[in-house]
Amino acid sequence: MSRSNRCCLHIHSVGSSLLVEVSKVVTSDMDGDAIGGAINLVTKNTPYDRVFNATVGTGYNAVSDKIQLNLGLTYGDRFFNDKLGLMMAASYQNAPGGADNTEFEYDVDDDGKVFLDKAEVRQYYVTRERQSYSLATDYKFNPNHKISFKGIYN
């Protein structure tokens, strides 16, 4: 089956503005297709009070000899006598990385003996740059009725 025919999500594409729940085993509340557990992406809800969070993180990859950067910003509040709720989040990640790799090729001679034909030491470099934006909003008509919207862009 080709990659385009499968229903999948690469977990590295999920921004840090989301909460990720991982279940390693099946629980009674899961669908029957969750044989080996599940990953649940939980978006942020609108707050009860004003929320403002900013995060900054960094790291270093010794193979690529470069600095990594993680940024996050979250803002939420309620307006119009707490009837309208709004939660916005954005995140950015720049993660240069690399790997050292040794690759071997073997061959068989005329006597049927296996021998090392080629050995190569390689370095691979990749930079992953990710952006994620999420929005949650709701409007409370009364204590028993509300309408809500949640959206994510990665």
Side-chain angles (χ1 to χ4, degrees):
M1 184 182 293
S2 71
R3 265 190 131 153
S4 62
N5 293 338
R6 287 187 281 174
C7 180
C8 65
L9 171 72
H10 296 281
I11 196 69
H12 62 76
S13 68
V14 177
S16 62
S17 63
L18 296 176
L19 172 67
V20 178
E21 292 177 346
V22 177
S23 299
K24 292 171 62 176
V25 296
V26 178
T27 60
S28 61
D29 61 334
M30 289 182 180
D31 291 333
D33 59 354
I35 293 173
I39 296 174
N40 189 21
L41 304 178
V42 181
T43 57
K44 296 183 182 226
N45 290 317
T46 56
Y48 295 105
D49 295 314
R50 180 174 294 148
V51 173
F52 180 77
N53 294 319
T55 58
V56 176
T58 188
Y60 174 74
N61 184 291
V63 175
S64 67
D65 195 30
K66 294 184 179 176
I67 300 291
Q68 299 179 359
L69 178 65
N70 295 309
L71 303 171
L73 189 64
T74 302
Y75 174 77
D77 205 350
R78 296 207 73 81
F79 306 96
F80 306 116
N81 294 325
D82 292 338
K83 289 201 174 279
L84 178 67
L86 181 69
M87 176 67 85
M88 300 178 290
S91 66
Y92 173 79
Q93 181 184 41
N94 186 309
D100 290 323
N101 189 19
T102 306
E103 297 184 11
F104 302 99
E105 289 184 21
Y106 296 91
D107 206 347
V108 179
D109 64 14
D110 294 336
D111 295 329
K113 293 182 182 178
V114 177
F115 67 94
L116 178 63
D117 184 46
K118 189 177 189 182
E120 292 181 357
V121 176
R122 297 181 181 181
Q123 287 187 318
Y124 296 97
Y125 300 101
V126 63
T127 298
R128 289 194 172 120
E129 186 174 21
R130 302 178 189 104
Q131 297 178 39
S132 176
Y133 306 95
S134 64
L135 171 71
T137 185
D138 67 27
Y139 186 82
K140 293 182 180 180
F141 296 101
N142 58 49
N144 296 321
H145 298 88
K146 78 174 182 177
I147 188 170
S148 61
F149 170 80
K150 291 185 179 183
I152 303 168
Y153 177 77
N154 287 313

